[in-house]
Amino acid sequence: MIALVSVTASGRAAASSLATAWGDEVRLYGHEGESAADALRAAFAECPAVVSFLAVGATVRVLAPLLRHKTTDPAVVCVDEARRFAVAVLGGHHGANELAHRVAGVLGCTPVVTTASEAAGATALDSFGAELGFTLADPRFLPLFGARILSGEPVSVRGAQRWPLPALPPNATLVDDGSDASDAGANGDADADLLISDQLSLPATSQPTLVYRPPSLVVGVGASRGVSAQEVLATIDAALAAGGLAAESVVRLASVDLKADEPGLVQAAAMRGWPVVFHPAAALASVEVPNPSPMVAASTGTPSVAEAAARYDGAGRPLADLVVEKTKSAVSAAVPVSTVTVAVARLRPRGRLAVIGLGPGARDLIAPRAVAQLRRASVVVGLDQYVEQVRDLLRPGTEVRITGLGAEEERARSAVDLARTGRAVALIGSGDAGIYAMASPALDYADADDIDVVCVPGITAAGAASNVLGAPLGHDHCSISLSDLHTPWEAIERRVRAAAEGDFVVSFYNPRSRQRDWQLGKALGILAAHRPAGTPVGWVRNASRGDESRGLATLGEFDPAMVDMYTVVTVGCSQSRIVGGRFVTPRGYAWAQ
């Protein structure tokens, strides 16, 4: 819930705009007769984020006595009376920076972010690994490490093997020497270690160590009917302690589906804020475990509940590694038999591939999600011209792998293979990632469920060209590539004939090159046999870019020699027409009676 605090007419108008855009996300404060200070105090007490339509100084004076800690205080953004700026004032790395950008996106103002890591383009340490679910074990060394990172002093990063982290700055060395994750202080060039570990014990060292807890542990639980939540939690705590494991790294509890309605188990998960999942007995029965039990198999349908549930990560995925074998709950005179069994397994981190469409070329047509995914990556793979288009958006330390024109499959395989090593990879291309672009070869090659994949849409060349020409795609339309590099001409010709007979508006990609100079003329001839010679034809070269050019003609007059591989040619249907100098296809057919 985002609080919107306003007490002036201008502020209320701006708050209304945000409320319209964000709907149920917001709550309005500052009603008639309510003072600005009272409204702001109430919003700060009741909501995790506040947009204050008051001056920064006034906001700070009201909120200063209420501040406790930046990790728990609400994020606060101030918007000035003229709606020129959205300033992240409190909790920059805990939501305010992002909120300032969101506010700016709606109100059209400039976001103002002053945190040092953002100014340097680096990852903020207090949100390091947040997208992966990392939590900070002890924030005492945050100022020291933040200063070292920003000052360029050496810092070693340990335990990051196979975690798909964003790019690290050049002075942060990723140590992957086969040593244990808790072996801090082994990098002689660094005076400080950043450690990613689910283990409680750390070696005695004089070097400061900043510890992050990854979401790496799954706790499998077997329980008798009527077990209490306290018994479940006590057994879990004992198992974690026996393994020297941090409870902050528990990502979920797991059990057999027979226990889905067991109140004590469900309550135990809720008390700790852990999700709980229940797997079919048949799936758990196939999991290899060190301590199977015929008695458990007879009552549940699987020889193991705790160990198997801890290891099972879903059909087709690798099993988690068991780190604490089955542990039984304590017995006493009141409880003479064990009622809970617990085992703990460590998940294997998965690499990540983001396939990103950059749109037609203009910077302001790149989707915000694409920018976020670029900054989320540690390595970017792409054609040289596309990499140069976004190089300034990448975080310092991002590895860039460039390939030349025509190496699409090589780029796709390289990106997938890098992700399989545990990297966070961005594979970039123009237009939309899934349309004549890199998603298809990449996902075709990624034939196993061993990496996480996200595809980011972009504005297509056909869409950009359509908006330059007018509204040619206002009714049913299709896109056809005239390149026979991957598709035989016979198949292309069949598709053009089908589009002609179906009276589709057609956008031709790759219409003409020096080596292929006849295909577009042939395709236009096929269309001309099914629609009038006066049918509009539009062409746009480098749509949305600085050297954009365009033109309109008719099907009978159009000269294919004026276009090249950077051009999209759009041919109208029988109902398309030129209206006021613009290419328009009506939404409906107006057939002559």
Side-chain angles (χ1 to χ4, degrees):
M1 186 62 65
I2 301 171
L4 307 180
V5 182
S6 58
V7 294
T8 66
S10 176
R12 289 193 176 105
S16 178
S17 297
L18 294 182
T20 300
W22 296 345
D24 292 342
E25 280 191 81
V26 306
R27 183 182 299 169
L28 299 176
Y29 291 81
H31 305 293
E32 292 292 341
E34 185 179 20
S35 73
D38 287 343
L40 192 54
R41 291 187 193 101
F44 194 77
E46 296 169 6
C47 296
V50 177
V51 178
S52 172
F53 293 93
L54 303 167
V56 171
T59 299
V60 170
R61 278 194 296 272
V62 171
L63 297 182
L66 307 179
L67 300 182
R68 295 294 179 266
H69 194 275
K70 65 179 183 178
T71 61
T72 56
D73 289 335
V76 178
V77 169
C78 286
V79 179
D80 65 298
E81 184 75 3
R83 290 191 253 179
R84 295 171 301 168
F85 305 105
V87 185
V89 177
L90 297 173
H93 295 152
H94 300 276
N97 291 348
E98 179 183 358
L99 182 58
H101 284 280
R102 289 190 64 192
V103 170
V106 176
L107 299 182
C109 55
T110 301
V112 178
V113 173
T114 60
T115 43
S117 54
E118 275 67 26
T123 301
L125 289 182
D126 48 1
S127 58
F128 177 75
E131 61 281 335
L132 296 173
F134 286 12
T135 58
L136 192 58
D138 185 344
R140 286 179 301 168
F141 291 125
L142 264 179
L144 169 65
F145 274 79
R148 291 186 68 88
I149 290 288
L150 293 173
S151 300
E153 298 178 55
V155 172
S156 66
V157 181
R158 294 186 168 275
Q161 293 87 341
R162 301 194 64 84
W163 286 104
L165 293 167
L168 298 171
N171 56 309
T173 303
L174 187 64
V175 179
D176 186 6
D177 56 4
S179 61
D180 186 89
S182 64
D183 183 17
N187 181 9
D189 294 331
D191 296 326
D193 281 298
L194 189 155
L195 175 65
I196 301 165
S197 176
D198 57 24
Q199 300 171 34
L200 289 173
S201 62
L202 296 175
T205 175
S206 59
Q207 286 189 185
T209 302
L210 191 63
V211 180
Y212 291 87
R213 300 299 187 196
S216 55
L217 303 177
V218 178
V219 178
V221 183
S224 301
R225 284 294 176 190
V227 68
S228 70
Q230 289 72 23
E231 290 176 278
V232 173
L233 292 176
T235 311
I236 291 174
D237 290 341
L240 292 172
L245 301 170
E248 299 96 321
S249 286
V250 173
V251 67
R252 64 176 178 266
L253 306 188
S255 191
V256 66
D257 55 6
L258 185 66
K259 298 297 179 181
D261 61 348
E262 187 62 49
L265 177 52
V266 175
Q267 291 169 12
M271 290 169 67
R272 294 286 177 88
W274 292 327
V276 57
V277 298
F278 300 95
H279 301 300
L284 298 185
S286 65
V287 177
E288 183 179 347
V289 297
N291 300 293
S293 167
M295 185 179 300
V296 172
S299 60
T300 66
T302 171
S304 170
V305 173
E307 291 178 337
R311 296 199 69 199
Y312 185 71
D313 195 28
R317 291 198 171 196
L319 297 175
D321 300 314
L322 201 64
V323 291
V324 177
E325 294 187 9
K326 181 167 65 176
T327 300
K328 296 182 179 181
S329 59
V331 298
S332 64
V335 186
V337 295
S338 294
T339 56
V340 182
T341 57
V342 165
V344 185
R346 181 178 288 124
L347 294 169
R348 300 178 185 180
R350 292 159 60 90
R352 188 175 189 276
L353 173 65
V355 190
I356 302 172
L358 299 177
R363 171 58 62 86
D364 59 351
L365 293 183
I366 298 178
R369 186 180 301 178
V371 175
Q373 291 297 330
L374 286 170
R375 295 182 62 77
R376 168 78 179 74
S378 64
V379 56
V380 172
V381 179
L383 185 65
D384 48 7
Q385 65 191 65
Y386 302 142
V387 171
E388 293 308 317
Q389 182 181 335
V390 297
R391 189 182 288 273
D392 64 304
L393 298 176
L394 307 181
R395 289 191 185 277
T398 302
E399 180 183 349
V400 174
R401 300 203 177 188
I402 295 175
T403 60
L405 189 65
E408 288 85 358
E409 292 187 2
E410 176 190 339
R411 284 200 296 277
R413 288 194 296 269
S414 172
V416 172
D417 288 341
L418 282 166
R420 283 173 169 159
T421 68
R423 306 287 298 275
V425 182
L427 175 62
I428 62 174
S430 66
D432 181 272
I435 300 176
Y436 298 131
M438 297 307 302
S440 177
L443 300 188
D444 196 36
Y445 181 65
D447 56 355
D449 186 14
D450 55 356
I451 59 174
D452 294 323
V453 178
V454 59
C455 294
V456 181
I459 296 174
T460 65
S466 171
N467 283 276
V468 170
L469 296 171
L473 307 184
H475 207 292
D476 294 338
H477 56 276
C478 64
S479 296
I480 299 176
S481 171
L482 295 183
S483 171
D484 55 5
L485 183 62
H486 299 292
T487 307
W489 172 252
E490 293 75 16
I492 296 172
E493 185 173 348
R494 285 197 304 272
R495 292 166 186 171
V496 175
R497 290 188 185 280
E501 294 170 0
D503 201 26
F504 284 84
V505 176
V506 183
S507 297
F508 286 117
Y509 280 71
N510 307 312
R512 190 174 185 273
S513 69
R514 278 181 291 216
Q515 289 75 32
R516 294 184 301 97
D517 58 2
W518 59 268
Q519 286 91 339
L520 178 58
K522 176 70 173 177
L524 294 175
I526 294 170
L527 294 177
H530 294 270
R531 54 197 70 178
T535 299
V537 176
W539 58 269
V540 181
R541 186 180 190 275
N542 284 339
S544 85
R545 302 190 184 193
D547 59 346
E548 173 189 287
S549 57
R550 70 187 85 174
L552 283 174
T554 65
L555 190 53
E557 300 169 343
F558 180 73
D559 180 9
M562 68 176 64
V563 305
D564 59 15
M565 287 289 287
Y566 299 99
T567 309
V568 173
V569 177
T570 304
V571 182
C573 68
S574 64
Q575 303 297 296
S576 301
R577 53 184 182 263
I578 303 297
V579 181
R582 290 176 285 272
F583 187 164
V584 178
T585 299
R587 288 289 303 275
Y589 273 63
W591 295 110
Q593 299 298 317

PDB file of all heavy atoms in Angstrom, residues 293-317:
ATOM      1  N   SER A 293      12.036 -46.127   4.891  1.00  0.00           N
ATOM      2  CA  SER A 293      11.345 -46.866   5.952  1.00  0.00           C
ATOM      3  C   SER A 293      10.142 -47.611   5.381  1.00  0.00           C
ATOM      4  O   SER A 293       9.222 -46.973   4.848  1.00  0.00           O
ATOM      5  CB  SER A 293      10.885 -45.915   7.052  1.00  0.00           C
ATOM      6  OG  SER A 293       9.983 -46.554   7.927  1.00  0.00           O
ATOM      7  N   PRO A 294      10.101 -48.944   5.501  1.00  0.00           N
ATOM      8  CA  PRO A 294       8.920 -49.701   5.056  1.00  0.00           C
ATOM      9  C   PRO A 294       7.663 -49.272   5.809  1.00  0.00           C
ATOM     10  O   PRO A 294       6.568 -49.255   5.232  1.00  0.00           O
ATOM     11  CB  PRO A 294       9.290 -51.158   5.358  1.00  0.00           C
ATOM     12  CG  PRO A 294      10.786 -51.169   5.443  1.00  0.00           C
ATOM     13  CD  PRO A 294      11.175 -49.846   5.975  1.00  0.00           C
ATOM     14  N   MET A 295       7.807 -48.901   7.075  1.00  0.00           N
ATOM     15  CA  MET A 295       6.648 -48.480   7.862  1.00  0.00           C
ATOM     16  C   MET A 295       6.060 -47.182   7.312  1.00  0.00           C
ATOM     17  O   MET A 295       4.838 -47.026   7.183  1.00  0.00           O
ATOM     18  CB  MET A 295       7.041 -48.305   9.331  1.00  0.00           C
ATOM     19  CG  MET A 295       5.878 -47.984  10.262  1.00  0.00           C
ATOM     20  SD  MET A 295       6.419 -47.813  11.979  1.00  0.00           S
ATOM     21  CE  MET A 295       7.105 -49.456  12.261  1.00  0.00           C
ATOM     22  N   VAL A 296       6.959 -46.252   6.963  1.00  0.00           N
ATOM     23  CA  VAL A 296       6.494 -44.987   6.382  1.00  0.00           C
ATOM     24  C   VAL A 296       5.841 -45.242   5.024  1.00  0.00           C
ATOM     25  O   VAL A 296       4.808 -44.653   4.685  1.00  0.00           O
ATOM     26  CB  VAL A 296       7.672 -44.001   6.240  1.00  0.00           C
ATOM     27  CG1 VAL A 296       7.248 -42.753   5.460  1.00  0.00           C
ATOM     28  CG2 VAL A 296       8.207 -43.619   7.607  1.00  0.00           C
ATOM     29  N   ALA A 297       6.417 -46.150   4.244  1.00  0.00           N
ATOM     30  CA  ALA A 297       5.855 -46.471   2.933  1.00  0.00           C
ATOM     31  C   ALA A 297       4.447 -47.043   3.063  1.00  0.00           C
ATOM     32  O   ALA A 297       3.552 -46.713   2.274  1.00  0.00           O
ATOM     33  CB  ALA A 297       6.762 -47.452   2.203  1.00  0.00           C
ATOM     34  N   ALA A 298       4.240 -47.874   4.070  1.00  0.00           N
ATOM     35  CA  ALA A 298       2.924 -48.482   4.259  1.00  0.00           C
ATOM     36  C   ALA A 298       1.859 -47.459   4.630  1.00  0.00           C
ATOM     37  O   ALA A 298       0.692 -47.583   4.247  1.00  0.00           O
ATOM     38  CB  ALA A 298       3.017 -49.558   5.334  1.00  0.00           C
ATOM     39  N   SER A 299       2.259 -46.403   5.341  1.00  0.00           N
ATOM     40  CA  SER A 299       1.261 -45.435   5.815  1.00  0.00           C
ATOM     41  C   SER A 299       1.105 -44.227   4.901  1.00  0.00           C
ATOM     42  O   SER A 299       0.052 -43.581   4.899  1.00  0.00           O
ATOM     43  CB  SER A 299       1.639 -44.943   7.220  1.00  0.00           C
ATOM     44  OG  SER A 299       2.898 -44.306   7.212  1.00  0.00           O
ATOM     45  N   THR A 300       2.128 -43.921   4.097  1.00  0.00           N
ATOM     46  CA  THR A 300       2.059 -42.706   3.276  1.00  0.00           C
ATOM     47  C   THR A 300       2.172 -42.961   1.780  1.00  0.00           C
ATOM     48  O   THR A 300       1.883 -42.060   0.984  1.00  0.00           O
ATOM     49  CB  THR A 300       3.175 -41.725   3.668  1.00  0.00           C
ATOM     50  OG1 THR A 300       4.457 -42.303   3.342  1.00  0.00           O
ATOM     51  CG2 THR A 300       3.127 -41.398   5.150  1.00  0.00           C
ATOM     52  N   GLY A 301       2.638 -44.139   1.383  1.00  0.00           N
ATOM     53  CA  GLY A 301       2.823 -44.419  -0.033  1.00  0.00           C
ATOM     54  C   GLY A 301       4.200 -44.079  -0.548  1.00  0.00           C
ATOM     55  O   GLY A 301       4.490 -44.232  -1.731  1.00  0.00           O
ATOM     56  N   THR A 302       5.106 -43.620   0.332  1.00  0.00           N
ATOM     57  CA  THR A 302       6.480 -43.329  -0.045  1.00  0.00           C
ATOM     58  C   THR A 302       7.396 -43.768   1.088  1.00  0.00           C
ATOM     59  O   THR A 302       7.071 -43.557   2.265  1.00  0.00           O
ATOM     60  CB  THR A 302       6.695 -41.832  -0.338  1.00  0.00           C
ATOM     61  OG1 THR A 302       8.109 -41.586  -0.502  1.00  0.00           O
ATOM     62  CG2 THR A 302       6.176 -40.948   0.779  1.00  0.00           C
ATOM     63  N   PRO A 303       8.544 -44.401   0.780  1.00  0.00           N
ATOM     64  CA  PRO A 303       9.442 -44.864   1.839  1.00  0.00           C
ATOM     65  C   PRO A 303      10.066 -43.734   2.655  1.00  0.00           C
ATOM     66  O   PRO A 303      10.645 -43.986   3.706  1.00  0.00           O
ATOM     67  CB  PRO A 303      10.531 -45.633   1.071  1.00  0.00           C
ATOM     68  CG  PRO A 303       9.947 -45.921  -0.260  1.00  0.00           C
ATOM     69  CD  PRO A 303       8.998 -44.802  -0.560  1.00  0.00           C
ATOM     70  N   SER A 304       9.980 -42.506   2.156  1.00  0.00           N
ATOM     71  CA  SER A 304      10.561 -41.374   2.868  1.00  0.00           C
ATOM     72  C   SER A 304       9.691 -40.149   2.658  1.00  0.00           C
ATOM     73  O   SER A 304       9.235 -39.890   1.534  1.00  0.00           O
ATOM     74  CB  SER A 304      11.978 -41.083   2.362  1.00  0.00           C
ATOM     75  OG  SER A 304      12.462 -39.850   2.893  1.00  0.00           O
ATOM     76  N   VAL A 305       9.467 -39.431   3.734  1.00  0.00           N
ATOM     77  CA  VAL A 305       8.772 -38.147   3.618  1.00  0.00           C
ATOM     78  C   VAL A 305       9.774 -37.008   3.807  1.00  0.00           C
ATOM     79  O   VAL A 305      10.006 -36.202   2.915  1.00  0.00           O
ATOM     80  CB  VAL A 305       7.614 -38.028   4.621  1.00  0.00           C
ATOM     81  CG1 VAL A 305       7.029 -36.614   4.583  1.00  0.00           C
ATOM     82  CG2 VAL A 305       6.527 -39.047   4.307  1.00  0.00           C
ATOM     83  N   ALA A 306      10.403 -36.941   4.959  1.00  0.00           N
ATOM     84  CA  ALA A 306      11.273 -35.801   5.270  1.00  0.00           C
ATOM     85  C   ALA A 306      12.438 -35.687   4.290  1.00  0.00           C
ATOM     86  O   ALA A 306      12.658 -34.626   3.685  1.00  0.00           O
ATOM     87  CB  ALA A 306      11.788 -35.920   6.702  1.00  0.00           C
ATOM     88  N   GLU A 307      13.216 -36.762   4.119  1.00  0.00           N
ATOM     89  CA  GLU A 307      14.390 -36.690   3.248  1.00  0.00           C
ATOM     90  C   GLU A 307      13.991 -36.504   1.789  1.00  0.00           C
ATOM     91  O   GLU A 307      14.579 -35.691   1.063  1.00  0.00           O
ATOM     92  CB  GLU A 307      15.245 -37.940   3.424  1.00  0.00           C
ATOM     93  CG  GLU A 307      15.923 -38.015   4.792  1.00  0.00           C
ATOM     94  CD  GLU A 307      16.728 -39.286   4.984  1.00  0.00           C
ATOM     95  OE1 GLU A 307      16.449 -40.303   4.301  1.00  0.00           O
ATOM     96  OE2 GLU A 307      17.644 -39.272   5.834  1.00  0.00           O
ATOM     97  N   ALA A 308      12.973 -37.235   1.335  1.00  0.00           N
ATOM     98  CA  ALA A 308      12.558 -37.139  -0.067  1.00  0.00           C
ATOM     99  C   ALA A 308      11.955 -35.769  -0.368  1.00  0.00           C
ATOM    100  O   ALA A 308      12.231 -35.167  -1.410  1.00  0.00           O
ATOM    101  CB  ALA A 308      11.566 -38.249  -0.399  1.00  0.00           C
ATOM    102  N   ALA A 309      11.143 -35.248   0.541  1.00  0.00           N
ATOM    103  CA  ALA A 309      10.519 -33.936   0.313  1.00  0.00           C
ATOM    104  C   ALA A 309      11.560 -32.828   0.313  1.00  0.00           C
ATOM    105  O   ALA A 309      11.433 -31.842  -0.421  1.00  0.00           O
ATOM    106  CB  ALA A 309       9.459 -33.669   1.374  1.00  0.00           C
ATOM    107  N   ALA A 310      12.592 -32.965   1.141  1.00  0.00           N
ATOM    108  CA  ALA A 310      13.659 -31.968   1.149  1.00  0.00           C
ATOM    109  C   ALA A 310      14.424 -31.970  -0.175  1.00  0.00           C
ATOM    110  O   ALA A 310      14.803 -30.907  -0.682  1.00  0.00           O
ATOM    111  CB  ALA A 310      14.615 -32.235   2.303  1.00  0.00           C
ATOM    112  N   ARG A 311      14.622 -33.133  -0.767  1.00  0.00           N
ATOM    113  CA  ARG A 311      15.428 -33.235  -1.986  1.00  0.00           C
ATOM    114  C   ARG A 311      14.640 -32.921  -3.250  1.00  0.00           C
ATOM    115  O   ARG A 311      15.195 -32.420  -4.226  1.00  0.00           O
ATOM    116  CB  ARG A 311      16.007 -34.651  -2.129  1.00  0.00           C
ATOM    117  CG  ARG A 311      16.981 -35.081  -1.054  1.00  0.00           C
ATOM    118  CD  ARG A 311      17.810 -36.262  -1.553  1.00  0.00           C
ATOM    119  NE  ARG A 311      18.718 -35.849  -2.618  1.00  0.00           N
ATOM    120  CZ  ARG A 311      19.286 -36.682  -3.491  1.00  0.00           C
ATOM    121  NH1 ARG A 311      19.026 -37.984  -3.429  1.00  0.00           N
ATOM    122  NH2 ARG A 311      20.098 -36.238  -4.418  1.00  0.00           N
ATOM    123  N   TYR A 312      13.336 -33.193  -3.251  1.00  0.00           N
ATOM    124  CA  TYR A 312      12.544 -33.088  -4.478  1.00  0.00           C
ATOM    125  C   TYR A 312      12.273 -31.625  -4.816  1.00  0.00           C
ATOM    126  O   TYR A 312      11.733 -30.870  -4.011  1.00  0.00           O
ATOM    127  CB  TYR A 312      11.227 -33.843  -4.300  1.00  0.00           C
ATOM    128  CG  TYR A 312      10.375 -33.910  -5.541  1.00  0.00           C
ATOM    129  CD1 TYR A 312      10.752 -34.701  -6.629  1.00  0.00           C
ATOM    130  CD2 TYR A 312       9.187 -33.194  -5.640  1.00  0.00           C
ATOM    131  CE1 TYR A 312       9.976 -34.774  -7.767  1.00  0.00           C
ATOM    132  CE2 TYR A 312       8.391 -33.268  -6.774  1.00  0.00           C
ATOM    133  CZ  TYR A 312       8.790 -34.054  -7.838  1.00  0.00           C
ATOM    134  OH  TYR A 312       7.999 -34.124  -8.957  1.00  0.00           O
ATOM    135  N   ASP A 313      12.626 -31.232  -6.050  1.00  0.00           N
ATOM    136  CA  ASP A 313      12.473 -29.829  -6.459  1.00  0.00           C
ATOM    137  C   ASP A 313      11.560 -29.691  -7.671  1.00  0.00           C
ATOM    138  O   ASP A 313      11.617 -28.696  -8.383  1.00  0.00           O
ATOM    139  CB  ASP A 313      13.847 -29.221  -6.775  1.00  0.00           C
ATOM    140  CG  ASP A 313      13.815 -27.704  -6.859  1.00  0.00           C
ATOM    141  OD1 ASP A 313      12.959 -27.086  -6.192  1.00  0.00           O
ATOM    142  OD2 ASP A 313      14.629 -27.127  -7.605  1.00  0.00           O
ATOM    143  N   GLY A 314      10.738 -30.684  -7.905  1.00  0.00           N
ATOM    144  CA  GLY A 314       9.816 -30.629  -9.035  1.00  0.00           C
ATOM    145  C   GLY A 314      10.245 -31.560 -10.145  1.00  0.00           C
ATOM    146  O   GLY A 314      11.422 -31.893 -10.296  1.00  0.00           O
ATOM    147  N   ALA A 315       9.267 -31.998 -10.947  1.00  0.00           N
ATOM    148  CA  ALA A 315       9.533 -32.946 -12.029  1.00  0.00           C
ATOM    149  C   ALA A 315      10.545 -32.381 -13.014  1.00  0.00           C
ATOM    150  O   ALA A 315      10.445 -31.232 -13.450  1.00  0.00           O
ATOM    151  CB  ALA A 315       8.229 -33.273 -12.751  1.00  0.00           C
ATOM    152  N   GLY A 316      11.538 -33.196 -13.352  1.00  0.00           N
ATOM    153  CA  GLY A 316      12.532 -32.804 -14.344  1.00  0.00           C
ATOM    154  C   GLY A 316      13.669 -31.971 -13.807  1.00  0.00           C
ATOM    155  O   GLY A 316      14.628 -31.709 -14.538  1.00  0.00           O
ATOM    156  N   ARG A 317      13.604 -31.527 -12.557  1.00  0.00           N
ATOM    157  CA  ARG A 317      14.673 -30.711 -11.999  1.00  0.00           C
ATOM    158  C   ARG A 317      15.640 -31.573 -11.197  1.00  0.00           C
ATOM    159  O   ARG A 317      15.241 -32.599 -10.637  1.00  0.00           O
ATOM    160  CB  ARG A 317      14.092 -29.622 -11.116  1.00  0.00           C
ATOM    161  CG  ARG A 317      13.320 -28.557 -11.886  1.00  0.00           C
ATOM    162  CD  ARG A 317      13.152 -27.314 -11.062  1.00  0.00           C
ATOM    163  NE  ARG A 317      12.619 -26.218 -11.833  1.00  0.00           N
ATOM    164  CZ  ARG A 317      12.653 -24.951 -11.457  1.00  0.00           C
ATOM    165  NH1 ARG A 317      13.218 -24.615 -10.307  1.00  0.00           N
ATOM    166  NH2 ARG A 317      12.142 -23.999 -12.213  1.00  0.00           N
TER     167      ARG A 317
END
